[in-house]
Amino acid sequence: MDNPWGSRGVVIIGGGVAGVTAAFELRKRGYRDAVTILEAGTFPHDRPPLTKGFLSGTLSDDDVSLYTPEAFAEEKIGLKTHASVLTIDTHDLGVELRDGTRLDADFVVLATGGLPRIPAVCEDSRESIHWVRTIEDARRLKRELQPGRRLLVIGGGLLGVELSYTARELGLAVTIVEPVSRPLVHIVGDRLADWLHAHADQAGIVQHEAEVLSITQIDGLFRAELSDGSVVECDVVVAAAGFEPNTRLAGQAGLNVRTGVVVDAGQRTSDERIFAVGDCAERHESGEVYRGGHWEAAKLDGERVACIILGEAAKPHSLPWFWTDRGELHIDVIGQFADCEETLVRGQFGSTSFSVIGLNNGRVAAAACVNDPKTARQLRKIIENNVDCTPDELRDTATDLRRILKR
Ligand SMILES: Cc1cc2nc3c(=O)[nH]c(=O)nc-3n(C[C@H](O)[C@H](O)[C@H](O)COP(=O)(O)OP(=O)(O)OC[C@H]3O[C@@H](n4cnc5c(N)ncnc54)[C@H](O)[C@@H]3O)c2cc1C
C-alpha cells in the first residue's frame, strides 16, 4: 500500500485514545516522517461515553470521536479505517492488512486495546447477547434498551454498574449478577463500596451476589439460573465481565506476551522497534507489573511513546486515576486504597459531595471523591508531591487544599 505521507515512519495499529494520542504527540513534537494509524473499526472514537451519554442518547457519534478528519489531514496523519492488521512482519519491519496490502515501518506501535471477556456461560447465546467495547457494540445495545424491558447485566464492576444506571434512566428493569461480594472494596475502600452498593439498590437495580449457572433462550426471552437459587427472566443480556488485553498480533509476531503485551518502562516490547501502549500493554518496571484499563493511563502511554520514539525524555507514569458516573454520582478515584492503613472522610459521608481519603504512613495515598472533581485534582497533587498535611486539615472542608499545596 502506498503511504500518502511518505515512506516507512511510524505505523500505529489501533485508533483508540492510546494510538491517536501517540500520532498527534509525534506531530506536536516535530516528527517529520510518515505517521499512519490503521484502525479496524469505522472511526477513531473514545470509549468512556459509550456506557454513559452515548447509550442514553445525549451524545452523538461526533461527540465521541477522537479528533475530526480535518485534524488528521492538517497534521498529515494518515488514517485508514476498516483496516484490520492481520500480521506484523518482524523480519523486514512492516504490517500486513486483511485486504492483502502491506505497509513498511521504521517503528510499529501496538495500540490494539482490549477485547470483552465473555463468560463461558454466555457462549451458547453469544449471537444474541451484548457487550460494550466499540461504538458499534453500543449502537446495537442502544436499540434494545427500550422502556419497560428487562435487562440482565453479568458483572458488577465499574462498567456493568455504570451501564445499569444508564439503563434505569432509560426506563428498564435492571438486574446485576456478580459473584464477588462488594467488588469495589479494593478500589474505593469498604465503607464507600458499601455505600455505592446501597445507592445502586436505591436506584432500583436488583443485585444478586451469585454466579450465572445457565442461560436459555425461548422465543427471544432469556432465562438465567443463578447459584443463589433464583431465576432471572429478561429481554436483554449484557456481559460486563471485564476485558482481556488484545495480544493476538503480538503473540503471532513472537513478542513476549503474558496477560498483556509485555513492555519495559519505555513501552518497548521484546522487539525494540515495536512498542505497545494502552489497554493491550503490560508494563514491567522495577519488579512491579502494571496493567491498563483506564483512559488517562492509555493517553499517557500514547504521549510517552511519542517522546521515546523521538529520543526525548518522557513524562513519568503517573498515579492511577479514573472516573466513573452512576446516575447523578460522578466519582474520581486516585491511587490504590488496597495500600492504605487507614481512611478518613472529608465532608459529610453520604451527602451530595464528599471524599474518602486513604492514608499510608500518615501521608495521603489514595482518594475517592464523590461529585467533587476539584478536590480530586487537589488531592492528586498532594499525593504526587507527597505533601504533609494533618488528618484534621484533610477532614475539614474549610481547609483550602490549594494553600496546603503551596507549603
Ligand atoms: C464502555 C467503556 C467505558 C469506559 N469508561 C471509562 C471511564 O469512565 N473512565 C476511565 O478511566 N476509563 C474508562 N474506560 C476504559 C478506557 O476507555 C480504556 O482504558 C481506553 O479506551 C483504552 O484505550 P486504548 O487506545 O488502549 O484501547 P481502545 O480504546 O480499545 O482502542 C483500541 C483500538 O484498536 C483497534 N484494533 C484492535 N486490533 C486491531 C487490528 N488488528 N488492526 C487494526 N485495528 C485494531 C480497535 O478497533 C480499537 O479501536 C472505559 C472503557 C469502555 C470499553
Side-chain angles (χ1 to χ4, degrees):
M1 178 174 105
D2 283 340
N3 186 330
W5 311 113
S7 62
R8 303 195 77 98
V10 181
V11 171
I12 299 167
I13 309 173
V17 64
V20 168
T21 302
F24 278 86
E25 193 70 18
L26 278 164
R27 284 292 182 244
K28 189 174 132 195
R29 292 178 177 273
Y31 185 77
R32 300 173 72 97
D33 288 343
V35 176
T36 309
I37 299 177
L38 301 170
E39 166 54 45
T42 45
F43 69 102
H45 61 272
D46 225 347
R47 267 65 189 168
L50 298 182
T51 35
K52 309 176 181 74
F54 185 78
L55 202 58
S56 68
T58 55
L59 297 178
S60 66
D61 284 20
D62 282 352
D63 295 322
V64 304
S65 99
L66 290 161
Y67 296 98
T68 59
E70 294 75 30
F72 285 96
E74 264 166 38
E75 294 296 334
K76 294 192 169 25
I77 294 168
L79 169 65
K80 191 167 165 66
T81 54
H82 303 283
S84 183
V85 175
L86 267 195
T87 50
I88 301 175
D89 176 0
T90 53
H91 180 66
D92 178 15
L93 193 63
V95 300
E96 273 149 33
L97 274 68
R98 189 176 292 278
D99 65 9
T101 53
R102 181 194 154 90
L103 200 63
D104 295 328
D106 294 316
F107 301 102
V108 170
V109 177
L110 278 161
T112 48
L115 299 170
R117 191 179 291 141
I118 309 297
V121 71
C122 298
E123 271 311 324
D124 289 347
S125 4
R126 210 182 160 98
E127 295 297 307
S128 26
I129 65 154
H130 293 260
W131 51 83
V132 183
R133 182 76 204 185
T134 67
I135 195 160
E136 290 78 23
D137 300 335
R139 266 197 211 111
R140 190 174 145 247
L141 174 60
K142 199 168 156 180
R143 285 195 289 273
E144 299 280 336
L145 298 187
Q146 301 301 329
R149 300 191 88 193
R150 296 160 300 171
L151 170 69
L152 168 64
V153 178
I154 304 177
L158 292 167
L159 201 139
V161 177
E162 204 169 69
L163 189 150
S164 299
Y165 272 82
T166 305
R168 288 292 297 146
E169 275 170 34
L170 292 170
L172 282 89
V174 181
T175 303
I176 297 180
V177 181
E178 163 61 54
V180 176
S181 156
R182 304 184 304 160
L184 292 188
V185 167
H186 66 290
I187 300 178
V188 295
D190 37 3
R191 192 170 174 203
L192 187 55
D194 284 345
W195 186 79
L196 289 171
H197 194 274
H199 191 277
D201 279 343
Q202 281 155 21
I205 298 169
V206 177
Q207 302 177 82
H208 286 268
E209 189 182 319
E211 274 183 57
V212 178
L213 298 179
S214 68
I215 299 182
T216 44
Q217 220 183 332
I218 305 156
D219 296 333
L221 292 183
F222 296 91
R223 186 174 187 278
E225 286 182 346
L226 310 189
S227 57
D228 64 5
S230 46
V231 170
V232 179
E233 292 186 340
C234 61
D235 308 286
V236 189
V237 177
V238 176
F243 76 94
E244 307 281 357
N246 184 352
T247 60
R248 188 186 60 81
L249 285 173
Q252 276 178 352
L255 304 178
N256 188 4
V257 170
R258 291 198 195 160
T259 303
V261 184
V262 175
V263 295
D264 64 13
Q267 309 298 145
R268 271 199 176 79
T269 66
S270 48
D271 182 321
E272 61 175 20
R273 304 158 302 166
I274 305 177
F275 299 82
V277 291
D279 282 3
C280 70
E282 171 183 313
R283 180 164 46 89
H284 291 236
E285 186 176 356
S286 312
E288 302 278 343
V289 178
Y290 302 88
R291 300 209 174 89
H294 299 309
W295 186 89
E296 196 202 44
K299 184 168 166 54
L300 181 63
D301 276 4
E303 290 170 4
R304 284 173 44 78
V305 80
C307 297
I308 291 157
I309 287 173
L310 287 161
E312 296 174 9
K315 265 196 225 169
H317 284 106
S318 59
L319 269 176
W321 169 75
F322 68 88
W323 76 97
T324 182
D325 293 334
R326 301 171 161 212
E328 80 281 10
L329 300 179
H330 171 85
I331 306 154
D332 289 286
V333 182
I334 306 140
Q336 311 269 13
F337 275 88
D339 300 340
C340 295
E341 289 158 352
E342 54 178 313
T343 58
L344 57 82
V345 177
R346 181 176 174 85
Q348 196 191 332
F349 188 89
S351 62
T352 338
S353 157
F354 62 99
S355 300
V356 177
I357 300 173
L359 302 179
N360 210 352
N361 289 326
R363 299 277 170 152
V364 181
C369 305
V370 177
N371 292 335
D372 195 353
K374 188 169 139 211
T375 297
R377 281 194 297 278
Q378 291 164 346
L379 286 169
R380 181 180 185 168
K381 286 189 190 140
I382 286 178
I383 302 174
E384 282 171 347
N385 298 320
N386 198 20
V387 177
D388 193 14
C389 30
T390 67
D392 284 345
E393 284 172 328
L394 290 166
R395 270 190 204 101
D396 186 357
T397 49
T399 312
D400 184 349
L401 295 177
R402 276 174 315 172
R403 286 189 51 199
I404 291 187
L405 273 164
K406 286 186 186 143
R407 275 181 190 157

